[in-house]
Each structure stands twice: as structure tokens, then as C-alpha cells.
Amino acid sequence: MRIEFTAGTKAILAGRAGYECSHPECEVITIGPGDKIDQISSIGEAAHIYSASVNGPRGQNGLLEEDLRSVSNGIWLCKNHARLVDVNSGEGFTASELISWKLLHEESIKRKQGRMRRNVGWVSKIRIMCSPVFKDQSVINLGKVTLIESQQNGSGKTAICEWLAVLGSEKSPERWIPPRGKDIKYSINLFLPEKHEVIVSIKGQSYNIYIDGVDSSFCGIPFRSFFFSREFVRVPNRGELKESEYLCKILGVDIYTLQKLFDKIGFSQYSMFTRISLDLSDDEKNDIRCSLRNRNFEVCLSALSGGESNGAIFELLIAKMQTYAEYTPLILFIEAAEISFDRALIEHYLNFLNSSEIAFQTVVTSLSPTTVKTSIGVSHFVLEGANSNVGVIQV
């Protein structure tokens, strides 16, 4: 049985797309005058991202019926592209890719309306042609949030993040030069909103990067990368610093900007905190006050548990990134195994990062399998094996 969109859902999808095809290389307007003076002509369709039927293109990903018929599972396309993405069981058109088209197109419509300033960007895929870690031709299609899990260390989670981080960076993935026993070659596909391909090749001490086939010194594409890991929260001689000084160091801001970031905390339904503030009357080291949503009293930052403390830092980092995201595309890498986030907290923040509140992409790596409910926009991969010949399996 096909799970069809309602007329209301189709109208919403068409309106959010500005009645234009959402394919990034198509500029077709799907509505216009009909043959008669009182008619209109429509050549647009509300296409399913995950399939309307059990055996349809891209499958149903374990989604409930209400999810399959929701606006989140639809994309507005011209009739030609609606048919193209569904032929051959949808081969060559992943759910992650269609989601990226949809978000990019809706952002471009916002720009045309004058509602936003930022340059739109989206990383859609990394293909690992050869490496000392993964099976040749391994592919990861990135969603708004991408969760990469493995059973053991040495499976390549960090490698993927480091290889993606060449985007918008003057640096090379120097930890991999020279490669360990086998050459490295991989490609990154992205939209800005036009399509680009970045190819990285490492042979011995030779490092080459190509942007759309042109040999480049580094990847000058306007993209920023942020990492949230053990190294991010580590500061030498932390015990000698005030809590505010510590936050300023890891976030790379001054005290006045830090207080502006505090003002951004507590408004989201996903925030663990109702308030984070600076106690100007306190000359001691514990000068940060945190109010957790599930408590009716304030505590200093150092009195929080490891997961709560890192949660406060994480939400401040998100506030900083949201400001950058107003003007430039960016991606956040989170190494969940290193930052004291338990499964419940990982799932909580995955939902936050996948929500409409967040204007950037995220890649989360985790050492042990989590019990995360599948949601549209989250790409979920498991790495099998360690050290070499690792398999990449999409869940």
C-alpha cells in the first residue's frame, strides 16, 4: 500500500520550494499560465524521499507511516526529475542527497525573499577510493546529521573527520602524510549551492588536492570546520584559571563575547540549561553560574558532572557556530566517545542538531552502538573491522 501525501502537504512542499524544481541543476518553474485564461499549468510533483511503498526507491528506513507522509519526507521536483530519481529503484539518488537538494533549494528561496544573508553549503558525500583503513570505494552519504559508529578503536572514525576537514582549510591531513602502508585517495562532493568536487591524493610525501579538476595549494572553498572532542576541552594549567577564563580559551573568545554567547542559552527546547551567566561579584575561580532545566537552583560550572559540564561547553560552541552560519557554510565534528556523553545525551543532541534551529551539518562518531530512533535527516553508518579493510555499512 502506498502512503501518499495529502493535498495540504503537497501545497506546503510546493510553496516552500517557491514552485521551482529542487534539483540543484534545474531552474524549471513548475507553475504558470494554462491554455485558457482561467487555468494554470503545473508540471511539479511532490516526490517521496523515503519510499511511499515498502519495496519502492530508497526503502522506508524503518519510518512510521506518519513520518513517511510528512513534509519532512517530501521534495518538490519537476516531473522529469521526479521520475529520474525513482527509476532503477532510486539507484544513484540517495535519501541524503535528496534531503541536501531540498534544504539547499529552500535556503536559496529564503535568499530570494531577502530573509537570510548566509552562503548556502552542503557536504553530500565522501568516497574513499583507496586508503590503508577502508575497503576501496567505500562511500558515506552525509545527512544534516551523520552518525558513524564502530565496535572498536582503529576503525577509521577519526580519519573520516580529518579527511573531511580539509574543506575550507589551508592545512593538509598531515597525520596521514606519508600514508601507512597504502596510498590515500578520496573525493568530497558538495554544493555551494553549485556542485563541486574536491579530490585529495596522498602518495608517500606527495600531497595533492584538486578542486573541480584544478590542482590547488589548499582547499579555498568557503567552508569552516569545528571539532568537539577531548582536545577541544583540554587546556594546560586549567586549575589555575577562572572558569570564565577557561571558557574563553577553549571557545576562542574574549570575556565580552562570552557573555553575549551566554545570552543565547536557554531558548531552545533542546537546551539542558535555562541559564548560564557570569557572576561578576565572585572573585574566586568558580565565577560561572549554571541553571539546569531539571533543577531549581544554580551551581558553578565545576560542580556539574562531566557530561553536564561538556554539555554547557557544547551549547556555547553551538551558539558561536550559529553566528558563523549566518554568513558561511560549516560543519561540526563530534567525537562522542571522548566527551562523557551517554546514549541518552547523544540522542538528545542528535535531535537538536537535526532540528530546524540548527543551520549547519554535523558528523558524530561513537565507539559503541547507540539506541537512536531513526529520523529523517540523520544518516547512520556502522564501521566493521579495525586497522585495515574496514567496511562501511549504512543502517
Side-chain angles (χ1 to χ4, degrees):
M1 182 182 70
R2 285 182 58 85
I3 299 172
E4 301 289 1
F5 295 125
T6 65
T9 296
K10 293 177 182 179
I12 291 171
L13 288 168
R16 289 183 64 86
Y19 287 89
E20 296 178 4
C21 179
S22 299
H23 189 292
E25 297 178 358
C26 183
E27 298 180 351
V28 166
I29 297 174
T30 63
I31 196 167
D35 294 332
K36 296 182 179 180
I37 191 66
D38 58 350
Q39 291 180 337
I40 61 172
S41 172
S42 176
I43 57 169
E45 291 187 11
H48 287 76
I49 295 172
Y50 291 105
S51 178
S53 56
V54 174
N55 298 317
R58 290 171 293 281
Q60 294 186 328
N61 202 34
L63 296 172
L64 299 175
E65 182 175 331
E66 62 190 65
D67 296 319
L68 291 168
R69 68 168 75 253
S70 70
V71 170
S72 297
N73 193 43
I75 179 172
W76 189 255
L77 298 168
C78 67
K79 291 185 181 295
N80 288 337
H81 282 119
R83 292 186 178 88
L84 178 65
V85 300
D86 282 352
V87 297
N88 299 323
S89 299
E91 184 176 349
F93 298 96
T94 65
S96 297
E97 186 171 24
L98 297 189
I99 291 167
S100 71
W101 291 0
K102 178 182 178 179
L103 293 177
L104 282 164
H105 183 71
E106 290 182 353
E107 294 297 294
S108 72
I109 295 299
K110 290 180 186 177
R111 284 183 66 89
K112 291 176 182 178
Q113 286 187 318
R115 291 170 50 201
M116 59 169 285
R117 298 178 294 275
R118 68 175 174 270
N119 295 318
V120 181
W122 186 277
V123 184
S124 63
K125 179 191 304 182
I126 177 170
R127 180 186 297 276
I128 305 163
M129 292 84 147
C130 62
S131 79
V133 180
F134 298 98
K135 292 180 179 179
D136 291 352
Q137 302 303 324
S138 294
V139 175
I140 293 179
N141 296 294
L142 281 75
K144 183 175 185 185
V145 177
T146 304
L147 175 61
I148 303 174
E149 298 182 308
S150 67
Q151 298 284 352
Q152 54 191 315
N153 281 317
S155 61
K157 302 184 303 298
T158 303
I160 292 170
C161 296
E162 291 174 345
W163 295 347
L164 284 167
V166 301
L167 292 175
S169 173
E170 299 88 355
K171 297 181 179 180
S172 67
E174 59 183 344
R175 190 169 74 90
W176 296 92
I177 305 173
R180 304 160 191 177
K182 186 178 180 181
D183 294 342
I184 297 174
K185 186 176 183 180
Y186 64 91
S187 66
I188 303 171
N189 294 102
L190 67 153
F191 298 95
L192 282 176
E194 67 279 358
K195 186 184 294 185
H196 295 281
E197 182 180 53
V198 177
I199 295 178
V200 173
S201 176
I202 304 172
K203 296 181 179 181
Q205 294 288 345
S206 176
Y207 166 67
N208 293 288
I209 185 166
Y210 304 90
I211 302 175
D212 299 329
V214 178
D215 192 0
S216 302
S217 301
F218 57 88
C219 186
I221 284 176
F223 229 99
R224 293 196 60 147
S225 298
F226 290 81
F227 281 83
F228 188 63
S229 63
R230 183 187 298 118
E231 288 302 315
F232 180 83
V233 299
R234 181 180 292 163
V235 170
N237 304 316
R238 176 179 175 179
E240 300 175 7
L241 301 174
K242 288 186 176 183
E243 290 175 340
S244 57
E245 292 171 336
Y246 166 67
L247 291 180
C248 285
K249 278 187 175 294
I250 61 176
L251 292 168
V253 299
D254 59 35
I255 191 66
Y256 305 104
T257 302
L258 181 65
Q259 292 184 78
K260 298 291 286 184
L261 294 179
F262 288 161
D263 294 339
K264 303 293 184 181
I265 301 299
F267 294 100
S268 170
Q269 63 173 316
Y270 296 100
S271 177
M272 285 203 307
F273 302 86
T274 56
R275 187 168 181 261
I276 301 178
S277 62
L278 176 66
D279 187 351
L280 296 174
S281 65
D282 192 346
D283 292 329
E284 301 298 322
K285 292 181 179 179
N286 301 326
D287 59 349
I288 301 297
R289 297 289 177 263
C290 304
S291 299
L292 283 154
R293 196 171 292 278
N294 59 353
R295 301 179 193 172
N296 58 3
F297 56 89
E298 289 186 332
V299 294
C300 60
L301 184 68
S302 60
L304 297 173
S305 69
E308 291 169 343
S309 175
N310 284 337
I313 296 167
F314 181 58
E315 292 189 26
L316 289 167
L317 175 62
I318 288 177
K320 175 181 174 178
M321 292 182 63
Q322 288 282 73
T323 301
Y324 275 117
E326 287 292 319
Y327 303 95
T328 186
L330 46 85
I331 188 166
L332 170 64
F333 300 100
I334 303 172
E335 297 201 36
E338 298 184 356
I339 51 176
S340 305
F341 282 0
D342 59 22
R343 292 184 181 184
L345 203 51
I346 291 173
E347 181 167 357
H348 175 80
Y349 280 131
L350 283 178
N351 289 330
F352 183 19
L353 294 163
N354 193 40
S355 72
S356 59
E357 296 180 30
I358 301 299
F360 53 82
Q361 281 181 278
T362 307
V363 175
V364 182
T365 63
S366 177
L367 185 55
S368 58
T370 57
T371 54
V372 178
K373 178 184 178 296
T374 302
S375 59
I376 297 171
V378 176
S379 295
H380 191 175
F381 293 85
V382 172
L383 307 181
E384 287 194 346
N387 299 320
S388 63
N389 206 36
V390 172
V392 178
I393 300 171
Q394 185 159 14
V395 179

